[in-house]
Amino acid sequence: MDYFRVNLKIERWLFLVAIIKEGSAISLDVYQTQMANAENISLPDLAETGPEVTINGTKIPSTPEGMAVAYSSLVLMALLPIFFGAFRSVKHHQEQKNDENAQLETMTHRDAAMFPIYASCALFGLYVFFQIFSKEHINLLLTGYFFFLGVLALAHILGPVVNSLLPAAFPNRKYHLKFFEGDGEIMEDVIDYQFDRRDLVTLAICGLTGVWYLWKKHWIANNLFGLAFSVNGVELLQLNSVLTGCILLGGLFIYDIFWVFGTNVMVTVAKSFEAPIKLVFPQDLLEKGLDSSNFAMLGLGDIVIPGIFIALLLRFDCSLQKRPGGRVYFYAGFLAYIGGLLTTIFIMHVFKHAQPALLYLVPACTGVPLLVALLKGEIKEMFAYEDNPAPEEKPAVEGEGDATQDATAKEGSSKTAEIKKVK
């Protein structure tokens, strides 16, 4: 195969994104974070924002240039996975439709409505675990879990690139690995790998990246995994309909506001959680280079969640490709995301407090495309669109039922006549 194809059920992706969402708890926390193993550097309280880092009790402010570089880089890193992941989702959706054996798994209305509840339970469960058990032991388990997923996600992205670089004389051979759940007739695929030796080379390269992250926890390795998670999430998670997307984003809108402003649960988990579930960029890069210790952060949940809705808009645009207008809904959602993200940064600096980005991203990413559809008179088509519509039942042909009844009656009469003859 050209790249690894991982057959993950939608529930497993929901769990992954739920972990991502709570790990990125404070959404666009462009407060300063420090590397956990940095010496003589203390992590400021999440409620204390401001462009400064504490070293030996002395607060050293970040330069305006450093902050501008960090914020611009975070915004750019947030846009790239959404843009490329959306177009990859179109290709993935078409491949699923063309593959007769593919199991089409999309997020239903019920999945979308229950998602904030699942995420809340997982968030509060982690909060309880961090209160009872050692933070180091929990993070060790989570690091191993995300190391495995990160290597696979990165291999899925880099597979075609590595394959194109390998020579044609490379001794290749194909393999197929399956892992089932259940027994007998109710067996179900959990893992379905089709790969070859070229893919094993890709895995080895991505594995080295994972070892680099485990050994150094370097911010570049963290971002490589984070970007891979984001692209794969936007590509593989499908909402199926705009209504499903509105239910999901609306629920997470309330989720973010409640857990950020209503309790300290999300703050505590975000301070304790160590995994590549956020994008970071140093604000002191100009002064310290790659050894920086003063970081701005953007959680992956605030990329993947709006991103899968924007990808749905692109697929809706593709369904209207025979009409003039191009990719108007995709670009409307994409520009709305940019505006919502910049608004989050602005509000955060005005009020000097970390903000839940979905508070601004959800109204922007849903409101602008819906307004465009309303102005273009395509609001009904938008809500009627489905990625994988249910198969329509064939209507009964008029008179077919009567003919069937007549045939049944005749058959019964002939059997009665035969019985009389025998007697």
Side-chain angles (χ1 to χ4, degrees), residues 407-420:
T408 304
K410 290 180 181 180
E411 183 179 357
S413 300
S414 61
K415 288 184 178 180
T416 305
E418 291 177 0
I419 293 173
K420 290 181 177 179

Side-chain angles (χ1 to χ4, degrees), residues 35 77 212-213 216-224 278-282 285 289-293 295:
M35 300 305 288
M77 286 192 294
W212 180 28
Y213 171 77
K216 294 292 185 180
K217 295 293 178 68
H218 199 278
W219 61 274
I220 295 180
N222 174 90
N223 287 347
L224 288 175
K278 57 185 176 293
L279 299 178
V280 298
F281 201 89
L285 179 68
L290 297 180
D291 295 327
S292 304
S293 57
F295 291 87

Side-chain angles (χ1 to χ4, degrees), residues 109 205 251:
H109 294 348
I205 296 173

Side-chain angles (χ1 to χ4, degrees), residues 58-59 66 77 90 98 109 129 149 193 229 254 264 286 292 329 332 336 344 385:
T58 304
K59 291 185 177 181
M77 286 192 294
V90 175
N98 295 336
H109 294 348
F129 285 151
L149 288 179
Y193 287 157
F229 280 136
I254 300 173
N264 70 334
L286 302 178
S292 304
Y329 295 108
T344 308
Y385 170 77

Side-chain angles (χ1 to χ4, degrees), residues 201-347:
V201 175
T202 305
L203 256 189
I205 296 173
C206 298
L208 292 176
T209 304
V211 172
W212 180 28
Y213 171 77
L214 291 177
W215 186 257
K216 294 292 185 180
K217 295 293 178 68
H218 199 278
W219 61 274
I220 295 180
N222 174 90
N223 287 347
L224 288 175
F225 275 170
L227 290 171
F229 280 136
S230 300
V231 174
N232 279 276
V234 175
E235 174 189 356
L236 301 177
L237 281 171
Q238 296 184 4
L239 289 173
N240 194 47
S241 69
V242 172
L243 180 58
T244 303
C246 291
I247 294 173
L248 176 68
L249 268 67
L252 289 176
F253 175 81
I254 300 173
Y255 165 93
D256 234 21
I257 294 175
F258 173 77
W259 289 110
V260 171
F261 293 131
T263 70
N264 70 334
V265 172
M266 192 173 278
V267 171
T268 304
V269 172
K271 289 174 65 176
S272 307
F273 202 98
E274 295 176 9
I277 42 73
K278 57 185 176 293
L279 299 178
V280 298
F281 201 89
Q283 300 190 57
D284 53 352
L285 179 68
L286 302 178
E287 293 81 15
K288 295 185 177 181
L290 297 180
D291 295 327
S292 304
S293 57
N294 183 13
F295 291 87
M297 180 190 82
L298 176 63
L300 297 190
D302 301 315
I303 301 173
V304 175
I305 300 300
I308 59 179
F309 184 77
I310 295 174
L312 173 66
L313 294 177
L314 178 59
R315 296 194 295 275
F316 173 63
D317 280 325
C318 293
S319 71
L320 303 176
Q321 58 185 350
K322 295 182 180 180
R323 304 183 187 180
R327 302 170 182 137
V328 59
Y329 295 108
F330 168 71
Y331 288 121
F334 193 72
L335 293 176
Y337 179 84
I338 297 175
L341 201 56
L342 295 178
T343 301
T344 308
I345 298 175
F346 175 76
I347 297 295

Side-chain angles (χ1 to χ4, degrees), residues 15-81:
F15 173 73
L16 171 60
V17 178
I19 293 293
I20 288 175
K21 186 69 200 97
E22 66 209 28
S24 64
I26 307 299
S27 58
L28 186 67
D29 286 334
V30 194
Y31 69 91
Q32 278 52 50
T33 63
Q34 286 74 40
M35 300 305 288
N37 57 354
E39 296 181 357
N40 299 323
I41 299 179
S42 62
L43 181 66
D45 187 85
L46 291 184
E48 178 184 345
T49 60
E52 49 193 21
V53 58
T54 303
I55 302 179
N56 289 330
T58 304
K59 291 185 177 181
I60 302 176
S62 300
T63 62
E65 294 81 4
M67 293 172 59
V69 170
Y71 296 169
S72 302
S73 300
L74 283 177
V75 172
L76 180 62
M77 286 192 294
L79 297 179
L80 290 177

